[in-house]
Amino acid sequence: MASTIQRSIVTTESRAVRYLLTSLALLFIGVFLVIPLASVFIEAFRQGWQLYLAALVEPDALQAIKLTLIVAAISLPANLIFGIAAAWSIARFDFRGKSILTTLIDLPFSVSPVVAGLIYVLMFGAQGWWGPWLIENDYKIIFAVPGIVLATIFVTFPFVARELIPLMEAQGSDEEQAAIVLGASSWQMFWRVTLPNIKWGLLYGVILANARAMGEFGAVSVVSGHIRGMTNTVPLHVEILYNEYNFVGAFACASILALLALLTLAAKSYVEWKSEQQAEADRRHAVEE
C-alpha cells in the first residue's frame, strides 16, 4: 500500500515539469562534472601517447604515485580498525560520553584539512610541543612520510565509522546475542555473524576512505613540505607541474586521480547494488519466516 501511494505521488507532476527538472539536473552534471572530467583526459592526451607515458614514468611522478599508494595502504587498515571499533562501541553499548564520541567522529568533516595539517605542525614541528624532543632523537614526522600518514588518517577516519554506525544500529544485536547464547566466543560471533552482516557497508566506507586518502591535498600540503621526489603525493605533484607550466605532465598525473574517481564510482555503485540485493533477500527471508 505504501509503495503504491508513493508511486502515485511521484507521477502526479506533469510531463513538462519532469522533463524540465531532469534537463536541469543533466545540464548541471554535464557542466560541472562531465565536461571538466573529460577535459582532464583530453589535455593529458593532447600531445600524444608518448608524452603522456613519459610524464607518468618520470622519476618524480613515479615517486609521487608510490608515496600515494604507501600512504593509502597504511591509512586504510587504521581506518578499518578504528571504524569497526567505534561503530561497535556506539551501536552496541550505552556509556557516558557516547554523544560526544559520535560528534568527535564527525570532526574532520567540519575542520578544514589545512587546519588539520597546521595542528600536526603545532604538535610535531620544530617549534611544536614535541618538536625539540623529536629533533634531539632524530625522529622526523613533519616534512616526512609519518606526518603525511597522520594527516591522511585524520581526514579519512570518519568514513568507515559513519557507514557502519547507522547500519549496525538498524540491524540490532539479536543475531549476535543468539550466537553468544549458542556458545560462540566473541571472536566467533564477530567473524561469523557481525562481519557478514556489515561487509557491504564496511566495503563502502573503505572505498570512500581510499578515494579521499589518494586525493587529499590540503592537510598533506601543509605537513609534507613539498619536497620534490620525496614527500609529494600525486595531488601535490600535479600542482607543482601545473605551476611550472608543464601542462602535459600535470594533466597526465591528474588523469590518474580522475581514473581513480571513476573506478571509485563504479565500485560504489556495485556495493550499493549488492547491498540492496542483500537487504531485499533479508526482507524476503523475514516474510517467509
Side-chain angles (χ1 to χ4, degrees):
M1 178 66 69
S3 60
T4 304
I5 295 175
Q6 185 178 5
R7 284 196 297 269
S8 63
I9 294 175
V10 171
T11 56
T12 52
E13 298 292 347
S14 65
R15 181 175 298 180
V17 172
R18 295 201 304 270
Y19 285 167
L20 176 61
L21 294 177
T22 304
S23 300
L24 288 176
L26 292 176
L27 178 63
F28 183 89
I29 292 174
V31 172
F32 291 99
L33 294 179
V34 177
I35 293 177
L37 187 62
S39 66
V40 170
F41 292 97
I42 292 173
E43 292 295 330
F45 292 101
R46 182 179 293 275
Q47 297 186 27
W49 278 93
Q50 290 78 11
L51 290 180
Y52 175 81
L53 295 177
L56 293 181
V57 299
E58 192 263 336
D60 289 343
L62 290 177
Q63 176 61 28
I65 295 172
K66 178 182 176 181
L67 180 58
T68 302
L69 295 176
I70 290 174
V71 171
I74 297 174
S75 62
L76 281 182
N79 287 322
L80 197 64
I81 295 172
F82 171 81
I84 294 175
W88 186 290
S89 61
I90 291 173
R92 294 293 183 262
F93 304 105
D94 289 323
F95 53 89
R96 184 176 299 177
K98 179 178 177 179
S99 60
I100 297 176
L101 176 59
T102 305
T103 302
L104 289 177
I105 290 176
D106 293 333
L107 188 62
F109 289 145
S110 58
V111 174
S112 169
V114 174
V115 174
L118 289 175
I119 291 173
Y120 284 107
V121 173
L122 176 63
M123 295 171 61
F124 303 114
Q127 306 300 322
W129 298 343
W130 299 308
W133 182 87
L134 292 171
I135 294 174
E136 182 180 348
N137 291 274
D138 197 27
Y139 293 122
K140 294 182 179 180
I141 294 182
I142 300 302
F143 305 151
V145 175
I148 298 174
V149 172
L150 288 174
T152 303
I153 291 175
F154 179 86
V155 299
T156 57
F157 79 78
F159 288 98
V160 175
R162 265 298 158 202
E163 289 298 324
L164 292 184
I165 290 172
L167 177 60
M168 295 180 70
E169 288 178 339
Q171 290 177 345
S173 60
D174 293 343
E175 294 184 16
E176 295 167 355
Q177 293 177 3
I180 293 295
V181 170
L182 292 174
S185 65
S186 298
W187 279 111
Q188 287 175 329
M189 177 194 68
F190 174 77
W191 287 108
R192 298 184 181 183
V193 178
T194 304
L195 191 59
N197 287 339
I198 66 172
K199 61 182 179 181
W200 294 116
L202 182 62
L203 182 58
Y204 188 85
V206 167
I207 290 172
L208 296 179
N210 181 67
R212 178 66 184 273
M214 290 190 175
E216 175 56 29
F217 180 86
V220 172
S221 178
V222 175
V223 301
S224 69
H226 290 267
I227 303 175
R228 193 162 187 165
M230 295 181 62
T231 64
N232 278 339
T233 57
V234 174
L236 302 184
H237 188 61
V238 171
E239 182 198 29
I240 289 177
L241 293 177
Y242 191 83
N243 290 337
E244 293 177 349
Y245 301 101
N246 185 355
F247 299 123
V248 173
F251 282 104
C253 293
S255 69
I256 300 296
L257 296 177
L259 182 60
L260 171 65
L262 294 176
L263 292 176
T264 300
L265 180 62
K268 173 177 171 290
S269 300
Y270 175 76
V271 170
E272 288 178 342
W273 174 68
K274 292 295 292 185
S275 180
E276 291 175 358
Q277 278 195 329
Q278 183 179 8
E280 181 64 25
D282 292 341
R283 285 194 294 268
R284 291 178 179 176
H285 182 69
V287 171
E288 291 175 357
E289 291 183 348

